Amino acid sequence: MADLFFYGSLRHAPLLERVLGRVPSVHPAVLPGHAVRWAEGQAFPMLVAEPGAEAQGVLVPGLDADDLARLDFYEGGFAFVTRELGVTTAEGERPAQVYFPADRRWVPGAAWSFDDWLRDWAEISVRAAEEVMARRGNWPPEAVAQVLPFFRARAWAQQIAAQPAPQTLRNPMTTDQVEITGRREGWHGFFTMNAFNLRYRRFDGSWSAELGRECFMSFDVALVLPYDPVNDTVLLVEQLRFGPINRGDPAPWVLEPIAGLVDAREAPEEAARREAVEEAHLQVDELIKMVGGYASPGYSTEFYHCFLGLADLSGRGQSQGGLESENEDIRNHVIPFDRAMALLDSGEINAAPLAMMLLWLANKRADLRR
């Protein structure tokens, strides 16, 4: 059995419950001689020795071997290990295990604010922790650490989804009329496939039979179609795609809009501008919201935030883009709008998002050119 002192995000009871798989008892405690600081550029804090400072936190007593294994797996993803130090409680000083960075990977930044973390990162961190712990026993902590930003992005997508589209033609029912009756073993790799049973309220007011279904847990994606209204040209990106390969398509290089997932705490507009720079080395002058929608709502959470990016494309023809760090091999094409529509008509443009965005532009093009 061991006592642990938590000074950072694991002070948040819902997060600690997700990691331990149970509700523990907690007691206020203080670690003297240490300050809590943000790990620079990260969504979590770290401890630094600082004479005269006090780290506020909680003491969780009596943790067993399984508790410690679960905590080590979760904290191992952040490259943290424990040290034994003396903490102060209402009953006096007592020894406790405390997590510190295992190496010099993290650089201490500004003073950490638990309230700021609660506002900005608590919900994301709790949802991401569910994904982390689902991989315990199958993944090493260092592998989880590599994909933790993607877990957070999935969690952020669920927060964005909390604001639904209008319900004027659609019926007024909500998820209150959907009951998840059970969950089954799914798939937890880089992507996640949830397996579940549910029933729902039918249009006639009755309840459906219980159904077994699966859902592909994806991301929110920002897409941008660069358009030069002066020269009437668009920029398309071309890259190898794994979907066509696995479908059996002998020509798996696809023409698409610029696209990339929306990182945690990032506005879709920010993601669109960032991806334009990364994939096409292009600074967009103005973003115009086109449409937002699900890619395939029957079985996937993937949601598209589509933007038209007004930009000066003069002097651009064919060029290379993408980030080497992400193994991207992207070719950019700047072509007349009419050529793009001809490629759509011939079927050479076979990515539905690009087709949708070109048709949107066709409808608005005259106004934009004026």
Side-chain angles (χ1 to χ4, degrees), residues 115-134:
D115 289 339
D116 288 351
W117 180 87
L118 283 174
R119 182 193 65 224
D120 295 337
W121 290 103
E123 185 175 345
I124 291 172
S125 298
V126 171
R127 293 182 187 274
E130 294 177 358
E131 294 220 43
V132 171
M133 300 311 294

Side-chain angles (χ1 to χ4, degrees), residues 54 57 60 95 101 110 117 140 146 150 164 180 215 231 238 242 267 298 302 305 312 314 336 346:
E54 288 186 334
V60 181
W117 180 87
Q146 293 176 2
F150 300 99
I180 302 297
C215 185
N231 294 298
E238 179 186 0
F242 306 131
E302 187 168 27
H305 302 270
D312 180 4
S314 58
S346 73

Side-chain angles (χ1 to χ4, degrees), residues 48-70:
V48 294
E50 187 174 306
E54 288 186 334
Q56 302 291 325
V58 295
L59 183 73
V60 181
L63 295 171
D64 63 22
D66 183 64
D67 293 329
L68 297 176
R70 293 177 70 93

